[in-house]
């Protein structure tokens, strides 16, 4: 599945499974359905087209028109949309690729390669040969500042001592490893915050109520966390849990932290 389809018409037949990978999301939850759309070339003014539809992301691609049984098949115009079945005899597009072939990733320019090298602390002269040797790696590194770029920078930095350019597969493996590590840390933080909320729920209510009675306004989140002896990332996570449990409530106004009713 390679191109987004135009606005689809009415579905006239039940779907049947296609199973090809969606070019938009990679899912194999793809199906073929027949849709009826306006077609001024036909006597009735309507025609039927097969669509390859991904039920995971909604991406759809229109194939060759379905010929009614009473009509004689006619030759397709030269610019007709290729079939989406992915057969080897599918007509190539303007760029010479068949519909099922992946579009090559555009290579980055010298400036992007040099930016990646400098971010990784490259300590040698950046010559045209060095730029060309790292161009494919920089192409797969993506945009600066994003997780994949950061993973590529870390890999390139650690590989300098070996004097080699890491394979692009390592970028995606490192990005996945970092993503899983972030998820694990976030899950651990949530568990710790839940445990702290069990211990400090009553103390949090008492402290917030006392601050309101003394000052006429609530404490900040940081002040509450410090009063409970909690610091660092756990402070915000703890107050979030107390909000979800309806122990505390607050609005966007400053010092609006209060004891939840009931």
């Amino acid at each position: 599945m390679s191109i987004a389809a135009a606005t689809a018409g009415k579905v006239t037949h039940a779907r049947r499974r296609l199973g090809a990978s969606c070019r938009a999301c990679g899912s194999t939850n793809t199906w073929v359905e027949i849709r009826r759309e306006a077609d001024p070339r036909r006597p009735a003014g309507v025609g039927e087209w097969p669509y390859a539809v991904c039920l995971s992301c909604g991406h759809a691609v229109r194939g060759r028109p379905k010929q009614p049984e009473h009509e004689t098949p006619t030759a397709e115009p030269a610019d007709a949309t290729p079939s989406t079945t992915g057969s080897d005899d599918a007509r190539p597009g303007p760029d010479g690729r068949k519909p099922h072939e992946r579009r090559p990733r555009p290579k980055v320019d010298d400036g992007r390669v040099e930016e990646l090298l400098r971010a990784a602390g490259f300590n040698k002269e950046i010559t045209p040969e060095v730029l060309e040797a790292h161009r494919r790696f920089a192409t797969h590194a993506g945009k600066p500042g994003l997780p994949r770029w950061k993973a590529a920078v870390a890999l390139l930095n650690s590989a300098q001592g070996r004097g080699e350019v890491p394979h692009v597969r390592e970028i995606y493996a490192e990005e996945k490893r970092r993503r899983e590590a972030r998820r694990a840390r976030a899950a651990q933080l949530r568990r710790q915050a839940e445990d702290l909320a069990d211990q400090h729920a009553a103390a949090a209510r008492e402290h917030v109520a006392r601050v309101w009675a003394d000052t006429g306004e609530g404490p900040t989140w940081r002040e509450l966390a410090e009063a409970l002896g909690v610091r660092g990332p756990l402070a915000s996570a703890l107050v979030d849990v107390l909000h979800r449990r309806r122990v505390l409530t607050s609005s966007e106004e400053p010092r609006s932290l209060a004891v939840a009713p009931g």
Side-chain angles (χ1 to χ4, degrees):
M1 301 172 69
S2 57
I3 57 173
T7 303
K10 181 179 179 182
V11 179
T12 60
H13 297 282
R15 294 188 178 110
R16 61 179 177 84
R17 177 172 286 279
L18 177 61
S21 298
C22 173
R23 287 296 302 274
C25 68
S27 170
T28 56
N29 188 19
T30 54
W31 297 71
V32 175
E33 64 182 32
I34 305 301
R35 298 181 180 179
R36 178 170 295 176
E37 299 177 349
D39 184 1
R41 298 175 300 176
R42 307 247 177 152
V46 294
E48 291 183 342
W49 278 264
Y51 274 79
V53 182
C54 176
L55 299 189
S56 297
C57 69
H59 187 72
V61 181
R62 190 171 79 172
R64 294 194 177 109
K66 180 179 175 62
Q67 295 288 347
E69 295 180 358
H70 62 278
E71 287 189 16
T72 302
T74 57
E76 287 187 307
D79 59 349
T81 304
S83 172
T84 61
T85 58
S87 60
D88 291 337
D89 59 348
R91 182 178 301 166
D95 56 358
R97 293 184 306 108
K98 292 184 179 181
H100 61 283
E101 293 178 342
R102 184 181 298 275
R103 184 182 300 276
R105 187 186 298 268
K107 293 184 178 180
V108 297
D109 56 18
D110 290 351
R112 179 65 64 81
V113 182
E114 186 172 352
E115 184 179 3
L116 177 65
L117 290 171
R118 295 194 184 282
F122 193 77
N123 53 13
K124 299 179 182 179
E125 182 184 0
I126 301 179
T127 63
E129 291 76 16
V130 170
L131 291 174
E132 194 59 35
H134 290 82
R135 192 176 309 280
R136 185 166 182 263
F137 185 83
T139 297
H140 285 263
K143 296 182 179 180
L146 297 182
R148 188 174 301 164
W149 172 274
K150 295 178 180 178
V153 168
L155 283 171
L156 198 57
N157 180 273
S158 62
Q160 288 188 53
R162 303 193 301 269
E164 61 184 20
V165 182
H167 195 281
V168 296
R169 288 194 301 266
E170 297 183 40
I171 300 177
Y172 299 93
E174 176 66 12
E175 182 189 18
K176 180 180 179 181
R177 186 195 67 78
R178 291 181 167 218
R179 181 170 59 250
E180 292 175 348
R182 287 195 301 270
R183 290 175 178 171
R185 288 194 299 268
Q188 182 181 15
L189 187 67
R190 286 193 299 270
R191 289 193 297 269
Q192 292 175 340
E194 293 283 350
D195 293 340
L196 288 173
D198 292 337
Q199 302 173 22
H200 298 300
R205 292 175 65 94
E206 293 175 1
H207 179 77
V208 172
R210 184 167 59 252
V211 171
W212 270 100
D214 294 342
T215 65
E217 58 184 4
T220 64
W221 286 29
R222 179 177 296 179
E223 290 170 351
L224 172 61
E226 289 179 351
L228 298 175
V230 180
R231 293 177 175 81
L234 274 173
S236 179
L238 169 61
V239 180
D240 278 334
V241 173
L242 293 175
H243 275 79
R244 289 200 305 269
R245 294 187 179 184
R246 300 298 299 166
V247 174
L248 302 176
T249 184
S250 64
S251 66
E252 296 181 358
E253 296 296 324
R255 294 189 173 274
S256 60
L257 191 62
V259 176

